[in-house]
Amino acid sequence: MSAMDAIDLAIMRTLQQDGRISNAELAERVGLSPSACSRRLDILEKSGTISGYHARLSNKALDYKMMVIVHISLSGQFAKTLTEFEAAVKLCPNVLVCYLMSGEYDYILRVAAKDLEDYERIHRDWLSALPHVVKINSSFALREIIDRPNVGLQSGSLDFYGSS
């Protein structure tokens, strides 16, 4: 998508706040006809600007009380090593996020655990079993301050392109 206007940004802001809104309500809020709104939404989805819709579940409500930041070092950064590690880490259901990093560690993971005993199980059965891992460093989050699912479109902040 080459250029977005204020209506596209309004559509995305509204969907960030309520992803279950009907097309008719969305159209009314952004000042379009339902058919025009539907066409714009289709373009935003097909371009990948809107990558999906989901329900945001509460880890705490699901009894996942611990969030662990895990730094992982591999035996090397060869293409095969990275590919095998990444394929394996995707299978671990407790890994919420995994980033390939520059710097001291090769990967950083965010892992949800019910308690310390559960994390020990995840560490033993999943993390330690990942291919090519030579070092695991775990840090336990004491308190979540912010977990922002969306960036850049809230009212009063920077617009989509990063300018005021």
Side-chain angles (χ1 to χ4, degrees):
M1 184 165 205
S2 58
M4 285 187 238
D5 61 15
I7 293 175
D8 292 326
L9 292 171
I11 288 171
M12 292 186 295
R13 270 191 210 103
T14 303
L15 288 172
Q16 283 183 343
Q17 295 166 359
D18 182 2
R20 296 182 67 181
I21 191 171
S22 71
N23 184 64
E25 177 66 21
L26 178 60
E28 184 177 317
R29 286 194 196 175
V30 301
L32 291 175
S33 69
S35 60
C37 184
S38 182
R39 280 192 301 273
R40 283 194 181 234
L41 191 54
D42 189 51
I43 291 168
L44 290 168
E45 290 169 352
K46 285 182 178 172
S47 71
T49 302
I50 296 175
S51 61
Y53 302 88
H54 68 277
R56 187 172 170 129
L57 306 178
S58 165
N59 287 325
K60 190 174 183 179
L62 296 172
D63 203 28
Y64 288 95
K65 297 177 185 132
M66 292 186 78
M67 208 47 61
V68 186
I69 306 303
V70 181
H71 298 82
I72 293 186
S73 294
L74 301 183
S75 58
Q77 287 226 350
F78 307 103
K80 183 178 188 273
T81 303
L82 299 177
T83 300
E84 289 174 359
F85 174 86
E86 290 171 11
V89 79
K90 288 176 183 177
L91 300 175
C92 181
N94 294 81
V95 174
L96 304 177
V97 177
C98 177
Y99 296 106
L100 174 63
M101 302 299 294
S102 64
E104 182 179 354
Y105 294 97
D106 296 308
Y107 289 91
I108 293 181
L109 285 58
R110 185 165 44 117
V111 177
K114 294 181 182 281
D115 52 30
L116 193 55
E117 185 177 309
D118 188 39
Y119 181 69
E120 180 183 4
R121 176 194 59 79
I122 295 163
H123 188 283
R124 179 188 64 241
D125 297 346
W126 288 96
L127 303 178
S128 296
L130 291 168
H132 312 291
V133 171
V134 294
K135 183 177 180 183
I136 300 173
N137 182 317
S138 304
S139 299
F140 298 89
L142 300 177
R143 179 169 36 116
E144 181 177 287
I145 308 305
I146 188 167
D147 183 10
R148 186 175 288 131
N150 301 298
V151 177
L153 296 177
Q154 284 69 30
S155 299
S157 68
L158 299 178
D159 70 14
F160 189 78
Y161 297 106
S163 60
S164 301

